Coordinates of all heavy atoms in Angstrom, one line a residue:
Y317 N 14.1 20.9 5.8 CA 13.3 21.0 4.6 C 11.7 21.3 5.0 O 11.2 20.5 5.8 CB 13.4 19.7 3.8 CG 12.5 19.7 2.5 CD1 13.0 20.3 1.3 CD2 11.2 19.1 2.5 CE1 12.2 20.3 0.1 CE2 10.5 19.1 1.3 CZ 10.9 19.6 0.1 OH 10.2 19.6 -0.9
F318 N 11.2 22.3 4.4 CA 9.7 22.4 4.6 C 9.2 23.0 3.2 O 9.7 24.1 2.8 CB 9.4 23.4 5.7 CG 8.0 23.5 6.1 CD1 7.6 22.7 7.1 CD2 7.1 24.3 5.4 CE1 6.2 22.6 7.5 CE2 5.8 24.3 5.8 CZ 5.3 23.4 6.8
N319 N 8.2 22.4 2.7 CA 7.7 22.7 1.4 C 6.4 23.5 1.6 O 5.3 23.0 1.9 CB 7.5 21.4 0.6 CG 7.0 21.8 -0.9 OD1 6.6 22.8 -1.2 ND2 7.3 20.8 -1.8
K320 N 6.6 24.8 1.5 CA 5.4 25.7 1.7 C 4.4 25.8 0.5 O 3.3 26.0 0.8 CB 6.0 27.2 1.9 CG 6.8 27.3 3.2 CD 7.3 28.7 3.3 CE 8.2 29.0 4.5 NZ 8.6 30.4 4.6
K321 N 5.0 25.3 -0.7 CA 4.1 25.4 -1.8 C 3.1 24.2 -2.1 O 2.2 24.3 -2.8 CB 5.0 25.7 -3.0 CG 5.8 27.0 -2.9 CD 6.7 27.1 -4.3 CE 7.5 28.4 -4.1 NZ 8.4 28.6 -5.4
E322 N 3.5 23.2 -1.4 CA 2.8 21.9 -1.7 C 2.0 21.5 -0.4 O 2.7 21.0 0.5 CB 3.9 20.8 -2.1 CG 3.3 19.4 -2.3 CD 2.1 19.5 -3.4 OE1 2.4 19.6 -4.5 OE2 0.9 19.4 -2.9
P323 N 0.7 21.6 -0.5 CA -0.1 21.1 0.6 C 0.0 19.7 1.0 O -0.1 19.3 2.2 CB -1.6 21.4 0.2 CG -1.4 22.3 -0.9 CD -0.1 22.1 -1.6
K324 N 0.4 18.8 0.0 CA 0.5 17.4 0.3 C 1.8 17.1 1.2 O 1.8 16.1 1.8 CB 0.7 16.7 -1.0 CG -0.6 16.6 -1.9 CD -0.5 15.7 -3.1 CE -1.7 15.7 -3.9 NZ -1.6 14.9 -5.1
F325 N 2.6 18.1 1.3 CA 3.8 17.9 2.2 C 3.3 17.9 3.6 O 3.8 17.0 4.4 CB 4.8 19.1 1.9 CG 5.9 19.0 2.9 CD1 7.0 18.1 2.9 CD2 5.9 19.9 4.0 CE1 8.0 18.1 3.8 CE2 6.9 19.9 5.0 CZ 8.0 19.0 4.8
R326 N 2.4 18.7 4.0 CA 1.9 18.7 5.3 C 1.1 17.5 5.6 O 1.3 16.9 6.7 CB 1.0 20.0 5.5 CG 1.7 21.3 5.7 CD 0.7 22.4 6.3 NE 1.3 23.6 6.5 CZ 1.1 24.4 7.6 NH1 0.2 24.1 8.4 NH2 1.7 25.6 7.6
E327 N 0.4 17.0 4.6 CA -0.4 15.8 4.8 C 0.5 14.6 5.0 O 0.2 13.8 5.8 CB -1.3 15.6 3.5 CG -2.4 16.6 3.3 CD -3.1 16.4 2.1 OE1 -2.9 15.3 1.4 OE2 -3.8 17.3 1.5
F328 N 1.6 14.6 4.3 CA 2.6 13.6 4.4 C 3.2 13.6 5.9 O 3.2 12.6 6.5 CB 3.7 13.7 3.4 CG 4.9 12.8 3.7 CD1 4.8 11.4 3.4 CD2 6.1 13.2 4.1 CE1 5.9 10.6 3.6 CE2 7.2 12.5 4.4 CZ 7.1 11.2 4.1
C329 N 3.6 14.7 6.3 CA 4.2 14.9 7.7 C 3.2 14.4 8.8 O 3.5 13.7 9.7 CB 4.6 16.2 7.9 SG 6.0 16.8 6.9
Y330 N 1.9 14.8 8.6 CA 0.9 14.4 9.6 C 0.7 13.0 9.6 O 0.6 12.3 10.6 CB -0.4 15.1 9.2 CG -0.3 16.6 9.3 CD1 -1.3 17.4 8.6 CD2 0.6 17.3 10.1 CE1 -1.3 18.8 8.7 CE2 0.6 18.7 10.2 CZ -0.3 19.4 9.5 OH -0.4 20.8 9.5
Q331 N 0.7 12.3 8.4 CA 0.5 10.9 8.4 C 1.6 10.2 8.8 O 1.5 9.1 9.6 CB 0.2 10.4 6.9 CG -0.3 9.0 6.8 CD -1.5 8.7 7.6 OE1 -2.5 9.3 7.3 NE2 -1.5 7.7 8.4
Q332 N 2.8 10.6 8.7 CA 4.1 10.0 9.2 C 4.1 10.0 10.7 O 4.5 9.1 11.4 CB 5.3 10.7 8.7 CG 5.6 10.5 7.1 CD 6.2 9.1 6.9 OE1 7.3 8.8 7.3 NE2 5.3 8.3 6.3
T333 N 3.6 11.1 11.3 CA 3.5 11.3 12.7 C 2.5 10.2 13.3 O 2.8 9.6 14.4 CB 3.1 12.7 13.1 OG1 4.0 13.6 12.7 CG2 3.0 12.9 14.6
R334 N 1.4 10.1 12.7 CA 0.4 9.2 13.2 C 1.0 7.8 13.1 O 0.9 7.0 14.0 CB -0.9 9.2 12.4 CG -1.8 10.4 12.6 CD -3.1 10.2 11.9 NE -4.0 11.3 12.0 CZ -4.8 11.5 13.1 NH1 -4.7 10.7 14.1 NH2 -5.7 12.6 13.1
D335 N 1.6 7.4 12.0 CA 2.1 6.1 11.7 C 3.2 5.7 12.7 O 3.4 4.6 13.1 CB 2.6 5.9 10.3 CG 1.4 5.9 9.3 OD1 0.2 5.8 9.7 OD2 1.7 6.0 8.0
M336 N 4.1 6.7 12.9 CA 5.2 6.5 13.9 C 4.6 6.1 15.3 O 5.1 5.1 15.9 CB 6.0 7.7 14.0 CG 7.1 7.7 15.1 SD 8.1 9.2 15.3 CE 6.8 10.3 15.9
V337 N 3.7 6.9 15.8 CA 3.1 6.5 17.1 C 2.4 5.2 17.1 O 2.6 4.3 17.9 CB 2.2 7.6 17.5 CG1 1.5 7.3 18.9 CG2 2.9 8.9 17.7
R338 N 1.6 4.9 16.1 CA 0.8 3.7 16.0 C 1.8 2.4 15.8 O 1.4 1.4 16.4 CB -0.1 3.7 14.7 CG -1.1 4.8 14.8 CD -2.0 4.8 13.6 NE -3.0 3.7 13.6 CZ -4.1 3.8 14.2 NH1 -4.4 4.7 14.9 NH2 -4.9 2.7 14.2
R339 N 2.9 2.5 15.1 CA 3.8 1.4 15.1 C 4.5 1.2 16.4 O 4.6 0.0 16.7 CB 4.8 1.6 14.0 CG 5.6 0.4 13.6 CD 6.9 0.7 12.8 NE 7.9 1.5 13.6 CZ 9.1 1.6 13.2 NH1 9.5 1.1 12.0 NH2 10.0 2.3 14.0
D340 N 4.9 2.2 17.1 CA 5.8 2.0 18.2 C 5.3 2.3 19.6 O 6.0 2.3 20.6 CB 7.1 2.9 18.0 CG 7.7 2.6 16.6 OD1 7.7 1.4 16.2 OD2 8.4 3.5 16.1
R341 N 3.9 2.5 19.7 CA 3.4 2.9 21.0 C 3.5 2.0 22.1 O 3.4 2.3 23.3 CB 1.9 3.3 20.8 CG 1.1 2.1 20.3 CD -0.2 2.4 19.7 NE -0.9 1.3 19.1 CZ -2.0 1.3 18.5 NH1 -2.7 2.4 18.2 NH2 -2.6 0.2 18.0
N342 N 3.7 0.6 21.8 CA 3.7 -0.4 22.9 C 5.1 -0.8 23.3 O 5.3 -1.6 24.2 CB 3.0 -1.7 22.3 CG 1.5 -1.5 22.1 OD1 0.9 -0.8 22.8 ND2 1.1 -2.2 21.1
H343 N 6.1 -0.1 22.8 CA 7.6 -0.3 23.2 C 7.8 0.4 24.5 O 7.7 1.7 24.5 CB 8.5 0.1 22.2 CG 8.6 -0.8 20.9 ND1 9.2 -2.0 20.9 CD2 8.0 -0.6 19.7 CE1 9.0 -2.5 19.7 NE2 8.3 -1.7 18.9
P344 N 8.2 -0.3 25.6 CA 8.5 0.4 26.9 C 9.7 1.3 26.7 O 9.9 2.2 27.5 CB 8.8 -0.7 27.8 CG 9.2 -1.9 27.0 CD 8.3 -1.8 25.7
S345 N 10.6 1.1 25.7 CA 11.8 1.8 25.6 C 11.5 3.3 25.0 O 12.3 4.2 25.2 CB 12.8 1.2 24.6 OG 12.2 0.9 23.3
I346 N 10.3 3.5 24.4 CA 10.0 4.8 23.9 C 9.9 5.9 25.1 O 9.0 5.8 25.8 CB 8.8 4.9 23.1 CG1 8.9 3.9 21.9 CG2 8.4 6.3 22.6 CD1 10.1 4.3 20.9
L347 N 10.8 6.8 25.1 CA 10.7 7.9 26.1 C 9.9 9.0 25.8 O 9.0 9.6 26.5 CB 12.0 8.4 26.4 CG 12.2 9.5 27.5 CD1 11.8 9.1 28.9 CD2 13.6 10.1 27.6
A348 N 10.0 9.4 24.5 CA 9.2 10.6 23.9 C 9.2 10.5 22.4 O 9.9 9.7 21.8 CB 9.9 11.9 24.4
W349 N 8.4 11.4 21.8 CA 8.2 11.4 20.4 C 8.7 12.8 19.9 O 8.3 13.8 20.4 CB 6.7 11.3 20.0 CG 6.0 10.2 20.6 CD1 5.2 10.1 21.6 CD2 6.0 8.8 20.2 NE1 4.8 9.0 22.0 CE2 5.1 8.1 21.1 CE3 6.6 8.1 19.1 CZ2 4.9 6.6 20.9 CZ3 6.4 6.7 19.0 CH2 5.6 6.0 19.9
E350 N 9.6 12.7 18.9 CA 10.1 14.0 18.3 C 9.2 14.3 17.1 O 9.6 13.8 16.0 CB 11.6 13.9 18.0 CG 12.1 15.2 17.5 CD 13.6 15.1 17.1 OE1 14.4 14.7 17.9 OE2 14.0 15.4 15.9
A351 N 8.1 15.0 17.3 CA 7.2 15.3 16.2 C 7.5 16.6 15.6 O 6.6 17.5 15.6 CB 5.8 15.2 16.7
S352 N 8.8 16.8 15.2 CA 9.2 18.0 14.7 C 10.4 17.7 13.7 O 11.1 16.8 13.9 CB 9.8 18.9 15.8 OG 10.4 20.1 15.3
L353 N 10.3 18.5 12.6 CA 11.3 18.2 11.5 C 12.6 18.7 11.9 O 12.9 20.0 12.2 CB 10.8 18.9 10.2 CG 9.4 18.5 9.8 CD1 9.1 19.2 8.5 CD2 9.3 17.1 9.6
N354 N 13.7 17.9 11.9 CA 15.0 18.3 12.4 C 15.6 19.4 11.7 O 15.6 19.5 10.5 CB 15.9 17.1 12.3 CG 17.2 17.2 12.8 OD1 17.3 17.5 14.0 ND2 18.3 17.3 12.0
E355 N 16.1 20.4 12.4 CA 16.8 21.6 12.0 C 16.1 22.3 10.9 O 16.6 22.7 9.9 CB 18.2 21.1 11.6 CG 19.1 20.6 12.6 CD 20.4 20.1 12.1 OE1 20.7 20.3 10.9 OE2 21.2 19.6 12.9
T356 N 14.7 22.5 11.1 CA 13.8 23.0 10.1 C 13.0 24.2 10.6 O 12.4 24.0 11.7 CB 12.9 21.9 9.5 OG1 13.7 20.8 9.0 CG2 12.0 22.5 8.4
K357 N 13.0 25.2 9.9 CA 12.1 26.4 10.4 C 10.7 25.9 10.0 O 10.4 25.8 8.8 CB 12.4 27.6 9.7 CG 11.7 28.8 10.1 CD 12.2 30.1 9.4 CE 11.4 31.3 9.9 NZ 11.8 32.6 9.3
Q358 N 9.8 25.9 10.9 CA 8.5 25.4 10.7 C 7.3 26.4 11.2 O 7.6 27.0 12.3 CB 8.3 24.1 11.4 CG 9.3 23.0 11.0 CD 9.5 22.0 12.1 OE1 8.5 21.1 12.4 NE2 10.6 22.0 12.7
P359 N 6.3 26.5 10.5 CA 5.2 27.4 10.9 C 4.6 27.0 12.3 O 4.5 25.8 12.5 CB 4.1 27.3 9.9 CG 4.9 26.8 8.7 CD 6.0 25.9 9.2
A360 N 4.1 27.9 13.1 CA 3.7 27.6 14.4 C 2.4 26.6 14.3 O 2.3 25.8 15.2 CB 3.3 28.9 15.2
D361 N 1.5 26.8 13.4 CA 0.3 26.1 13.4 C 0.7 24.6 12.9 O 0.0 23.6 13.3 CB -0.6 26.6 12.3 CG -0.1 26.7 10.9 OD1 1.1 26.9 10.7 OD2 -0.9 26.3 9.9

């Protein structure tokens, strides 16, 4: 899912990415962050 018509969709994704890292950054178990929408065609920018 990618909503091209609604600018707030991008804002939501950006905020979710920040919040994910801020919540979980101190866990030693975190190997990597998947900051990409699963199975979704996304613009390069």
Side-chain angles (χ1 to χ4, degrees):
Y317 180 83
F318 192 92
N319 191 334
K320 298 179 181 179
K321 299 179 181 180
E322 176 54 75
K324 291 183 179 180
F325 173 77
R326 285 193 179 219
E327 295 174 14
F328 169 75
C329 293
Y330 296 156
Q331 189 61 53
Q332 290 285 288
T333 299
R334 285 190 184 277
D335 290 351
M336 174 181 67
V337 177
R338 297 177 74 82
R339 190 195 71 166
D340 298 335
R341 61 195 176 186
N342 294 328
H343 289 281
S345 57
I346 299 296
L347 175 69
W349 311 97
E350 184 180 305
S352 176
L353 308 180
N354 184 63
E355 299 177 2
T356 303
K357 186 177 180 180
Q358 303 155 72
D361 65 317

